[in-house]
Amino acid sequence: ISVTPLDVIKTRLQAQSNPFSKGKCFVYSSGRMDHICVCENGNNKAWYKKPGHFKGTLDASVKIIQREGIKSLWSGLPPTLIMALPSTVIYFTCYDQLSEALKSRPDMDDQYVPILAGSLSRFGSVTVMSPLDLIRTRMQYRRLSYKQLYMCISSKVAADGWLSLWGGWSSTLLRDIPFSAMYWSNYETFKKMLCKEVGAQEPTFLIAFTSGAASGSIAAILTQPFDVVKTHRQTGLWETETLKIPQRHCTSTWAVMRKIVTKNGITGLFAGMTPRLFKVAPACAIMISTYEYGKSFFSHLHEK
């Protein structure tokens, strides 16, 4: 909810310098989730608007509010929340449970606990949510009744098998598992250091916020190449299946990576890193600090 306006403004600013063509798709990301939007294709009522003439972030925010209303700054939020809520519940619950289980093992070094717990919890979350992500993406393209959606999914399963519902699963894991391993490892380290520095027994909201922002930024920078590859694969698959735009067969993660390097060099693997940092850092900070505060609040309430 907090970072969506920043992403909407970023997308509008990008669009005016490099407009999206009619029927073309692009990936919208809130920092926590990403999904595909199509620009004015058929009867599609996409939230994306034609670019205006904006001089900067502040100018864009003022003009968007004046022309379209303040609600437009939260465009694309509902589908993001629909996926983010169950995904986050699975992710954080699994992390806490796995951390406690691993810490209780006498042969387990504490420094490896957040790495293992973070990787396994993300693996479970991505695996469970992958089919729902596919369904949500299809529903974004055009309005479908539940019967039409059922027929759409049934025909895909009949043609390609049940595993087709997990399309893009591997590239998502290659991005999210290293991200989670680095994020939780750094977060726990920073949290302990800051708690020791200020003499706190448990992390305050500010400590959790700072640790979350720092660890999220580090993880985002190091996993950026896999995020770029995922975006290429996602948009390529969408244009091939839905918009009927022929694509060359280049589906594996490493094949896409080689293609990007050949075309744009090594820097191509880090495209969009700055705007991603502006979204991921506050998103991670807000989520983990709110989560830690909520845990502390309900723990003390339970004791009373």
Side-chain angles (χ1 to χ4, degrees), residues 27-131:
V27 174
Y28 163 84
S29 175
S30 65
R32 176 66 183 83
M33 300 290 296
D34 46 54
H35 56 274
I36 291 177
C37 294
V38 181
C39 303
E40 303 175 46
N41 186 65
N43 296 322
N44 180 55
K45 301 286 186 180
W47 67 267
Y48 170 78
K49 307 290 184 182
K50 290 181 179 179
H53 297 285
F54 307 131
K55 298 176 183 178
T57 302
L58 183 60
D59 182 60
S61 62
V62 171
K63 288 181 178 177
I64 290 171
I65 292 171
Q66 288 177 340
R67 295 172 186 174
E68 305 168 31
I70 195 167
K71 288 183 179 179
S72 186
L73 290 176
W74 280 268
S75 299
L77 180 63
T80 302
L81 288 178
I82 289 170
M83 286 295 295
L85 289 174
S87 175
T88 305
V89 168
I90 295 169
Y91 182 38
F92 278 76
T93 304
C94 288
Y95 177 78
D96 265 348
Q97 297 297 318
L98 285 168
S99 293
E100 291 300 320
L102 291 170
K103 285 176 182 176
S104 64
R105 294 175 62 93
D107 58 337
M108 177 60 65
D109 191 330
D110 283 353
Q111 66 178 343
Y112 298 121
V113 169
I115 297 174
L116 287 172
S119 299
L120 291 172
S121 57
R122 175 56 75 184
F123 178 87
S125 175
V126 169
T127 303
V128 171
M129 299 305 295
S130 190

Side-chain angles (χ1 to χ4, degrees), residues 141-162:
Y141 173 62
R142 60 184 185 276
R143 293 184 180 275
L144 296 174
S145 66
Y146 285 106
K147 184 177 180 180
Q148 289 173 322
L149 180 63
Y150 174 77
M151 294 299 295
C152 178
I153 300 300
S154 297
S155 60
K156 183 169 181 62
V157 171
D160 304 319
W162 283 101

Side-chain angles (χ1 to χ4, degrees), residues 150-191:
Y150 174 77
M151 294 299 295
C152 178
I153 300 300
S154 297
S155 60
K156 183 169 181 62
V157 171
D160 304 319
W162 283 101
L163 289 178
S164 63
L165 295 179
W166 277 266
W169 173 77
S170 59
S171 58
T172 305
L173 286 180
L174 281 172
R175 180 194 67 176
D176 287 359
I177 286 182
F179 182 96
S180 295
M182 288 183 282
Y183 172 78
W184 286 109
S185 178
N186 288 324
Y187 172 73
E188 297 290 354
T189 301
F190 292 150
K191 184 175 70 173

